[in-house]
């Protein structure tokens, strides 16, 4: 899987409340090495603004809504996430930004590698050169 993709998750609708889940290698194409979440984002703020050399991610809007903008160096696509029963698979090598966070939104991110500052490309010019 080397393209970004919205992945639908299993959904158990229940009058007691709904339930969804994720298992590595089943709903996701990678082993989950790390989980982090982004919360309490002030209005108008944006996150991201980098690419990863190796890390792959899966992003779910557990609560509220936000946009993820993915750029392969040639084209940009905006994915609006606003439900907890699907998420966006982000392959390595995509420039990523996140914006339009709603009040109280919660972004869950599952990642394929442990945190490593060396895996980040934070310079857009360098990213463009790598993407060619
Ligand atoms: P960063 O990845 O730059 O955030 P975003 O891309 O969402 O804007 O991370 C912000 C800070 O958090 C940075 O100083 C590194 C730290 N951090 C970790 O220590 N571990 C992690 O797993 C992540 C994602 C970030």
């Amino acid at each position: 899987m080397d393209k970004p993709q919205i992945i639908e998750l299993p959904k158990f609708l229940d009058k007691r409340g709904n339930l969804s889940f994720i298992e590595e290698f089943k709903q996701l194409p990678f082993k989950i090495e790390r989980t982090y979440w982004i919360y309490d984002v002030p209005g108008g703020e944006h996150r991201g603004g980098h690419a990863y050399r190796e890390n792959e991610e899966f992003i779910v809007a557990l609560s509220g809504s936000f946009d993820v903008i993915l750029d392969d160096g040639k084209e940009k696509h905006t994915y609006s996430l606003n439900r907890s029963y699907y998420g966006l698979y982000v392959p390595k090598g995509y420039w990523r930004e996140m914006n339009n966070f709603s009040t109280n939104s919660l972004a869950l991110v599952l990642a394929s590698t442990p945190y490593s500052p060396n895996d980040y490309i934070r310079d857009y010019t360098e990213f463009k050169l790598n993407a060619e």
Side-chain angles (χ1 to χ4, degrees):
M1 219 188 262
D2 60 353
K3 296 274 179 239
Q5 196 176 314
I6 294 286
I7 298 177
E8 285 262 346
L9 300 171
K11 183 166 62 167
F12 286 85
L13 300 181
D14 192 312
K15 58 180 186 304
R16 300 170 302 157
N18 302 334
L19 183 151
S20 289
F21 62 88
I22 303 170
E23 289 175 287
E24 57 193 13
F25 299 127
K26 290 192 179 160
Q27 290 77 30
L28 289 190
F30 59 81
K31 181 166 168 50
I32 301 164
E33 286 288 344
R34 177 167 52 112
T35 303
Y36 63 93
W37 46 97
I38 298 169
Y39 55 97
D40 290 348
V41 179
E45 276 299 343
H46 62 92
R47 305 284 318 207
H50 54 67
Y52 300 115
R53 297 174 208 279
E54 290 302 327
N55 187 44
E56 301 165 60
E57 291 190 334
F58 185 67
I59 306 173
V60 184
L62 278 190
S63 178
S65 62
F66 51 84
D67 291 342
V68 183
I69 302 113
L70 297 183
D71 177 353
D72 65 2
K74 297 188 184 77
E75 288 178 58
K76 284 186 192 185
H77 283 282
T78 299
Y79 300 85
S80 294
L81 302 184
N82 53 24
R83 290 283 184 271
S84 56
Y85 53 79
Y86 66 79
L88 176 64
Y89 169 66
V90 184
K92 64 182 172 185
Y94 278 76
W95 189 265
R96 187 191 87 183
E97 304 211 8
M98 297 167 77
N99 64 21
N100 266 334
F101 287 89
S102 69
T103 305
N104 288 332
S105 56
L106 172 58
L108 174 73
V109 186
L110 308 179
S112 70
T113 64
Y115 174 67
S116 164
N118 296 333
D119 194 45
Y120 283 70
I121 303 173
R122 293 194 179 272
D123 181 77
Y124 191 73
T125 310
E126 184 190 346
F127 165 73
K128 286 281 271 187
L129 285 171
N130 277 21
E132 274 171 10

